[in-house]
């Protein structure tokens, strides 16, 4: 057995162990990314072989928590890819406006920066009051951070630029108050957001959505899993509902592609056909 | 009857400050029927469009495109890394993107591509590190060398900023230290070597 085959086997056993014991399923993740995260975890914790990790994650809850954090946390920012928010403001909002009540699902919201971005946009368009945003993630640590809505002040300058490029109508500073090294998002934004644990791989449909926002989550999945999650989104969207993906993700070659109209190619905004 | 299986299967290039000047120069020297895929990680502003690929396309006959998520790597195509994403290679020779934290202050990081490419291609990879102002790529090049791959660096004396090529030379036994005009020529020759 070659070294790389052996390593593949070790990763498979490790992910199987994590799934069997804790229910977190990374088995259908894009292997190159998972592997890199596992190896970087091993480097930090001075672990030589992947298989040595198995007893550690099975018997040591603390190590497991750190491991799961390393395996699942992604980096995001407020108004990431401002042109996407601008596009939504200019092309999607007016259609959403025609509904008496709007449901938005932000799937894989991580630490929440983009959830608040969307809430700000909806508020400025006068829609937040009649919108219910479901912000979900399978990682409770990230989810709690999102719920708190407290972000590092050192990133605010960049976020403000993004906000402006996204077509912001006010000043980003009207949506948070700063304290020491942090900013805290205003409660009026949080009022209509429900933060909840939801696992895209194991959990199912929980509502009929007008807009699903899921950015830079699919890139971490393999093709098969991508297909399953696209199906889940398709089942969760109302006819003429919108799906917004990360700027390098696409419905191209997916099984639901033909049921959707590409509204913004660069922005990766799709609309379900009626 | 000849079995002309090539010795090398892929070229990976890392470049940072000064890349916009040197890449067109090097790529225009790559011959039109270059048989291998070329993957380029260039430290570029996160908000950049794919104008970088378009700019390079004007300079060479080979097809140039931004690497797409899950895209199968094809011979004789030059791929650039999308801004603000790490670029990795899966064992089935498709691309994998990630928005994980920056490595060496960079996303895309050259080290991330080099490590993952080396794991897939082992000794059948040619790596090139060009001008740049930080040491991203040095550890990756050393890893490629350790796995039996080939390491070429731009002669720091000819680099717009010498830090990046020099940091490879500092920690890795490199195979070739070349001027920009020698690099394309060398790649053309290496790509034709059969096993």
């Amino acid at each position: 057995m070659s070294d790389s085959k052996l390593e593949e086997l070790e990763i498979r056993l490790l992910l199987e162990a994590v799934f069997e014991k804790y229910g977190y399923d990374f088995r259908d993740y894009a292997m190159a990314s998972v592997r890199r995260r596992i190896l970087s975890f091993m480097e930090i914790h001075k672990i030589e072989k992947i298989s040595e990790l198995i007893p550690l994650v099975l018997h040591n809850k603390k190590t497991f928590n750190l491991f799961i954090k390393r395996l699942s946390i992604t980096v995001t920012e407020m108004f990431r890819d401002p042109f996407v928010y601008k596009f939504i403001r200019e092309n999607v909002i007016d259609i959403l406006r025609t509904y008496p009540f709007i449901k938005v699902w932000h799937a894989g919201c991580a630490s929440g920066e983009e959830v608040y971005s969307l809430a700000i946009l909806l508020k400025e368009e006068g829609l937040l009051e009649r919108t219910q945003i479901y912000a979900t993630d399978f990682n409770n640590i990230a989810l709690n951070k999102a719920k708190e809505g407290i972000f590092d002040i050192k990133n605010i300058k960049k976020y403000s630029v993004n906000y402006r490029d996204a077509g912001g109508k006010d000043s980003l500073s009207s949506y948070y108050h700063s304290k020491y090294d942090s900013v805290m998002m205003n409660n009026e934004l949080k009022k209509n957001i429900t933060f909840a644990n939801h696992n895209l791989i194991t959990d199912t449909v929980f509502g009929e959505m007008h807009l699903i926002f899921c950015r830079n989550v699919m890139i971490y999945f393999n093709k098969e899993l991508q297909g399953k999650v696209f199906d889940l989104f398709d089942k969760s969207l109302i006819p003429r509902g919108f799906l917004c993906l990360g700027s390098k993700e696409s419905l191209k070659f997916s099984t639901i592609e033909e049921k959707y109209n590409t509204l913004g190619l660069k922005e990766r905004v799709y609309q379900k056909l009626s | 009857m000849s079995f002309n299986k090539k010795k090398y299967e892929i070229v990976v290039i890392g470049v940072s400050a000064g890349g916009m000047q040197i890449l067109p120069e090097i790529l225009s020297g790559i011959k039109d029927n270059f048989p291998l895929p070329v993957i380029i990680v260039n430290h570029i502003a996160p908000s950049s469009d794919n104008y970088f690929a378009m700019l390079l396309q004007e300079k060479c006959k080979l097809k140039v495109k931004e690497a797409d998520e899950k895209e199968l790597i094809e011979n004789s195509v030059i791929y650039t890394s999308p801004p603000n994403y790490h670029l990795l290679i899966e064992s089935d020779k498709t691309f994998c993107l990630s928005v994980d934290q920056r490595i060496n202050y960079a996303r895309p990081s050259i080290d991330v591509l080099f490590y993952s490419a080396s794991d897939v291609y082992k000794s059948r990879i040619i790596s090139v590190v060009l001008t740049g102002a930080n040491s991203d790529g040095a550890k990756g090049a050393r890893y490629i060398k350790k796995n039996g791959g080939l390491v070429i660096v731009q002669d720091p004396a000819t680099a717009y900023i010498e830090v990046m090529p020099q940091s490879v030379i500092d920690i890795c036994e490199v195979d070739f230290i070349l001027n920009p005009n020698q690099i394309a020529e060398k790649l053309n020759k290496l790509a034709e070597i059969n096993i």
Side-chain angles (χ1 to χ4, degrees), chain B residues 13 20 27 44 47 58 60 76 94 128 130-131 147 168 194:
Chain B
I13 298 178
M20 289 308 216
L27 295 185
I44 195 169
S47 55
E58 284 173 16
C60 60
S76 307
T94 57
V128 184
L130 304 171
T131 169
N147 277 343
V168 181
N194 294 325

Side-chain angles (χ1 to χ4, degrees), chain A residues 222-254:
Chain A
N222 71 18
K223 267 238 129 78
E224 243 180 359
L225 182 53
Q226 285 183 350
K228 284 186 201 161
V229 177
F230 278 139
D231 275 342
L232 172 62
F233 289 161
D234 185 48
K235 288 194 184 97
S236 306
L237 273 176
I238 61 157
R240 306 194 59 74
F242 300 93
L243 174 63
C244 179
L245 301 173
S247 49
K248 300 298 163 196
E249 297 163 330
S250 122
L251 281 188
K252 218 162 73 181
F253 310 124
S254 78

